[in-house]
Amino acid sequence: MEALDILEKRIDALTRVLGPVREADTGEGIVDSLCSANALLSEATTGRTQLQQCVSRAGELEKYLDPNFLDEHQQVRSKEVYLNAVAPELHTQAEQLERIKQLEPALGAEYFRSIPSECLDQLKQVTQNNGEYAQQSELIEESLILAMKRYGEIQEGLLSSLDAMSERLDQVEQRMEQKKKSDLNKDVPPTD
């Protein structure tokens, strides 16, 4: 029923764009026509394995024919490269977090309240250093993102240049073939 509701909404949207649809004399509505067409298609494909395979892979074909498919694939690759670049750092941070969790019972102990001020100053310095490292890692992350975008632009430029070069090569090959044919026609003596 949900599929029919979606179909009905799409038909309503098309009706708003195209205007009212004139009903056929038979009294058959659009939904009935679509159901009949579906029944006819299923009858036509019954017993024909090649057609059934084509129909079953129609969704996959639409996915590949989508103009955004290549862009989405490249975005996935970019994210994969980024994750591979950041993975070691994330791994070390996860290990540190696990170690902190293990030490958590001891960190709340009473004897930590009597830490000398020198140690507290060192802890503050370590905290500041960690903040600076976090900022540096954010800057590195931003530069990696910009580098990946630039890489995508360069790749797109190279692909368009290669397409243009391929077209030029095709044109040169056609000219060479035409010249060979004209040279052959000049060399062949006329027959009497």
Side-chain angles (χ1 to χ4, degrees):
M1 292 307 280
E2 184 177 315
L4 287 177
D5 291 338
I6 293 171
L7 189 58
E8 187 174 9
K9 287 178 184 177
R10 290 179 72 185
I11 291 170
D12 290 341
L14 283 173
T15 303
R16 282 192 300 264
V17 172
L18 300 174
V21 177
R22 286 180 251 136
E23 293 292 325
D25 292 335
T26 61
E28 184 178 23
I30 293 175
V31 175
D32 295 334
S33 297
L34 290 173
C35 289
S36 299
N38 183 33
L40 287 173
L41 282 174
S42 63
E43 280 181 26
T45 58
T46 303
R48 295 179 175 93
T49 57
Q50 295 291 337
L51 282 175
Q52 288 175 342
Q53 289 174 353
C54 290
V55 171
S56 67
R57 296 189 72 183
E60 185 179 339
L61 182 61
E62 284 183 23
K63 176 180 148 186
Y64 286 117
L65 292 177
D66 183 11
N68 295 325
F69 175 74
L70 182 61
D71 294 336
E72 291 172 4
H73 187 66
Q74 287 178 342
Q75 287 175 356
V76 168
R77 282 289 299 149
S78 301
K79 289 177 183 176
E80 182 180 335
V81 167
Y82 171 72
L83 287 176
N84 286 334
V86 179
E89 183 180 337
L90 291 175
H91 183 67
T92 56
Q93 288 178 356
E95 287 176 349
Q96 289 175 351
L97 182 62
E98 285 298 318
R99 183 151 185 202
I100 289 171
K101 285 182 180 179
Q102 290 173 355
L103 296 174
E104 188 175 17
L107 291 175
E110 189 65 34
Y111 55 84
F112 278 108
R113 297 184 191 198
S114 60
I115 295 177
S117 62
E118 298 167 357
C119 293
L120 289 176
D121 292 338
Q122 289 177 352
L123 283 173
K124 288 179 185 176
Q125 184 62 37
V126 167
T127 304
Q128 288 176 351
N129 290 344
N130 284 342
E132 291 173 6
Y133 294 147
Q135 289 176 350
Q136 289 175 356
S137 68
E138 287 176 7
L139 291 174
I140 290 171
E141 181 180 341
E142 289 175 8
S143 66
L144 278 173
I145 290 171
L146 291 174
M148 285 188 289
K149 286 181 182 177
R150 181 66 183 137
Y151 173 77
E153 292 170 0
I154 290 171
Q155 185 180 20
E156 188 175 312
L158 283 173
L159 289 174
S160 63
S161 296
L162 287 174
D163 288 341
M165 288 172 59
S166 176
E167 289 176 13
R168 289 183 195 146
L169 284 173
D170 290 341
Q171 292 173 359
V172 168
E173 287 176 353
Q174 289 175 357
R175 289 181 191 155
M176 288 178 65
E177 286 183 22
Q178 289 174 356
K179 186 172 181 174
K180 283 182 182 178
K181 287 180 182 178
S182 66
D183 288 347
L184 286 174
N185 289 339
K186 287 180 185 177
D187 292 341
V188 175
T191 57
D192 291 329

